[in-house]
Amino acid sequence: MISLQNLEGSVVVVSGAGRGLGAALAVSLAEAGSRPILCGRNREALESVASTILERTGVQTQVVKLDLGDAASVARAVTQLKAEHEVIDLLINNGAMWLESSEEDHRPEEVLAVVNAAVSGTFLLTQGLMPLLRGSSRPDIVTIGSISGLPGAAIQTTSVPFYAAKRAQAALADGFAQMLAGTPVRSLVIHPPYLDDVEPGAEAWENASKRRKGERATNRDIVEAVLFAVTRPRHVSLSIVVDADEGGRFSRL
Ligand SMILES: NC(=O)c1ccc[n+]([C@@H]2O[C@H](COP(=O)([O-])OP(=O)(O)OC[C@H]3O[C@@H](n4cnc5c(N)ncnc54)[C@H](OP(=O)(O)O)[C@@H]3O)[C@@H](O)[C@H]2O)c1
C-alpha cells in the first residue's frame, strides 16, 4: 500500500488567506490536522477566517500581516515568523493580485502591484522562510499558479501584466524545484482555471463534486488538488493543471 504523507500537526503558512481560495485552503488544511498561519493584507479578514477555523476545528490560528507587494512588509513577516517558529512544514504561495484586461491603459502602480505580489514578494517570502522549511522533516512549497501562466496559454480576460506575472510565478516554482533538487524540500505547483469561489461548508462546496462536465471548477477542486499533491510520498513532486470546459484552457470566454 502507498504510504501517504500525514498532515497532522504540520505548520502551514498560507499567503492571501483572508478570502477566496486562500481562506478555503486554510480552513481545509486545519480540518486535515494542520496548524495554518494566515498571512495577508487585511487583518480583519484574516481574523474572520481564524474564527471560522476555531469554530470548525477548535484550532487557534495565528494571523500575520503581509503585503506581498511591499518588500519591507515581507521582511517584517519573515522576521516575525522566524522569531515565533523553528519549523515551517508547508508554504502555500497563494496570494496574487488579479488584474483584468482593459481598454484603458493600466496605471503604473497597479502594474507594479501585480508583478510585485506574484513574483518579487512571493520569491522574497519563499527565500526568507527557506531556513524554517529546511528545519522540517516534510517540507513543501506549493505555488498556486494559473492556466494563464502556462506556456502558450490563451490570454482570455486577463491583463498582460497578470498573464506575465503568472508565467513568472510558474517559473519561480520550476526554479525552486531545480535549486532544491537533491534536498528534502519539494516545490509543487497547481494551475487553476477560472474558479467559482465557494466556501467550505456552504451548499455549493458540498455539491461541488456533483458538477457536470461543462461547468466551471471551484475552490474546492483546487483545495483537493493541493491536498493530493502534498500527501504524495516524498519522492514524488507534482505539477497539476486543473482544467474545465468553462473557464479552462480551451474555454471560449
Ligand atoms: N479565482 C480564479 O478564477 C483563479 C484562477 C486562476 C488562478 N487563481 C489564483 O488563485 C490564487 C487565489 O486567488 P483567489 O481565487 O482567491 O482570488 P483573487 O481575487 O485572485 O485573490 C487573491 C488573493 O491574494 C491576496 N492578495 C492580493 N494581493 C496581495 C498582496 N499584495 N499581498 C498579500 N496578499 C495579496 C488577496 O488578498 P486581499 O484580500 O488582500 O486582496 C486574495 O486573498 C491567486 O494566486 C490567483 O491568481 C485564481
Side-chain angles (χ1 to χ4, degrees), residues 16 19-21 41 66-69 94-96 144-145 166 192-195:
R19 63 185 170 95
L21 177 60
R41 294 184 292 187
L66 168 73
D67 181 349
L68 289 164
N94 165 78
I144 305 296
K166 280 290 168 180
Y194 286 78
L195 300 172

Side-chain angles (χ1 to χ4, degrees), residues 15-25 39-42 45-46 65-70 73-74 93-99 113-114 116-118 143-148 158 162 166 169 190-197 216-217 219 222 247:
S15 69
R19 63 185 170 95
L21 177 60
L25 280 164
C39 301
R41 294 184 292 187
N42 182 336
L46 297 171
K65 192 99 197 300
L66 168 73
D67 181 349
L68 289 164
D70 173 0
S73 166
V74 177
N93 286 322
N94 165 78
M97 193 183 128
W98 165 244
L99 184 64
V114 166
N116 282 338
T143 301
I144 305 296
S146 167
I147 55 163
S148 309
T158 66
F162 181 84
K166 280 290 168 180
Q169 214 179 15
I190 314 291
H191 295 290
Y194 286 78
L195 300 172
D196 278 348
D197 182 9
R216 202 174 264 240
N219 283 346
I222 307 309

Side-chain angles (χ1 to χ4, degrees), residues 78 82 85-88 124-136 139 180 185:
V78 167
K82 279 182 165 165
H85 298 271
E86 285 180 3
V87 165
I88 286 170
L124 290 171
L125 181 68
T126 309
Q127 178 177 256
L129 295 183
M130 199 63 82
L132 298 188
L133 284 160
R134 288 189 193 278
S136 165
L180 294 166
V185 189

Side-chain angles (χ1 to χ4, degrees), residues 91-104:
L91 166 63
I92 303 195
N93 286 322
N94 165 78
M97 193 183 128
W98 165 244
L99 184 64
E100 194 156 33
S101 63
S102 165
E103 296 290 308
E104 311 290 321

